[in-house]
Amino acid sequence: MRKSCIPLVLGAAILLLFLLAAFFPALFTQYGQKEMFGPWLEASPEHLLGTNALGYDIFTELVYGTRQTLLVGITSSILTLLLGSVIGTLAAGKGGSIFNGFINIFVLLPKLVTMIVLASFLGSSSKNLILLIAAFSWVGTARSVRAKVIHLNSQPFIENCVIQGYSRGHIVAHHILPNLYDVLISRFLLGVNSCIMMESTLSFLGFGDLYFPTWGTMINFAYKRGAFLRRAYAYLLSPGICIMLLSLSFYLISLFFEGKQNTIQDT
C-alpha cells in the first residue's frame, strides 16, 4: 500500500508546486510580469535565469506562464472528457454505428495538420486553442467509454434493470455513468498531458495567445529572438523542463488510480 502511494505523493507534490506558482506568483518572484531590466542579462542572484531580448526576467515569465498553461490544459481536458463521454456512451447504444463511424472518421484525420490549418483561420487566442484541442482530442476518451459501456451492458445487473422495465435514460444515469468513474479519471489525467503537449506544440509554431503567453509561447519567443545565438540556453530549456515536470505530475497521479483500479478488478 505504501509503495502504491509513492506515485500519488510525488505527483501531487509537483502539481502543488505548480498550482502555488499559478495562484500565488509573488511567493516565487519579487518582480512584476512586465517589469523590465537590461536585455540578455546573464543568470545571477537577482535574475535566476537571466533576462530575455526585451529585458523581462525569464524566471518571472516562467512563473506567470504557469497559470495560463494550466488553464488551457485543464479546460481543454475537461471539454475533451465531456465530449468523449457523450459520444462514447451514444456509440455503445442503439444506433451506435453512426457515432462509431463518426469516431472512426476522426481517428483517420491528420490531427496536427488540421489544427494548424484551422488555427491559421481562427486566429491566435486561448479560447480558440482550447476549442481546437478539445475538438480533436476526444477520440481516445470516446473509444474507452464505448468499450466500458458495452462491457457494462452485458452485466447481469443491467439486464435485470431492462427486465424490470427501467428506461434507457434511467439505466444510463443511475447505473452506467456511476461505473465509468475509473475510466473518466484516468482519461482526464492523461488528457491533461496530451492537451498541454498539443497547446505547447501549437504555441511554439506561433498560434499561441501573445497577450497571455504560455510556456510554449516562451519557447517560440526564445527561438525567434535569437536565444541560440546569445547562448541563452536557460530561456530555451526552462519552459520545456516545466512542461515535462507538469506532465509527469499528472502521469504519476494517473498511475496511482490505474493501480487502484487493477486491485479492485483482481479482487
Side-chain angles (χ1 to χ4, degrees), residues 124 200-210 216-217 220 224:
S124 301
S200 299
T201 302
L202 291 173
S203 294
F204 173 73
L205 294 174
F207 298 104
D209 193 333
L210 302 181
T217 308
N220 174 268
K224 287 184 175 180

Side-chain angles (χ1 to χ4, degrees), residues 22-35:
F23 291 102
F24 306 102
L27 294 175
F28 297 85
T29 178
Q30 60 181 329
Y31 304 127
Q33 186 174 7
K34 298 301 180 180
E35 193 170 347

Side-chain angles (χ1 to χ4, degrees), residues 36-54:
M36 300 181 70
F37 306 90
W40 297 119
L41 295 179
E42 295 184 358
S44 66
E46 291 77 21
H47 306 288
L48 297 178
L49 298 176
T51 61
N52 63 14
L54 300 179

Side-chain angles (χ1 to χ4, degrees), residues 34 52 61-62 65 68-69 72 124-126 129 196 198-225 235-236 239-240 243:
K34 298 301 180 180
N52 63 14
E61 275 196 317
L62 201 65
Q68 193 65 20
T69 301
V72 175
S124 301
S125 71
S126 298
L129 275 184
I196 289 175
M198 188 59 63
E199 183 278 328
S200 299
T201 302
L202 291 173
S203 294
F204 173 73
L205 294 174
F207 298 104
D209 193 333
L210 302 181
Y211 295 100
F212 301 98
T214 62
W215 294 331
T217 308
M218 284 185 63
I219 300 175
N220 174 268
F221 287 163
Y223 178 76
K224 287 184 175 180
R225 293 170 181 171
Y235 194 16
L236 289 163
I243 292 171

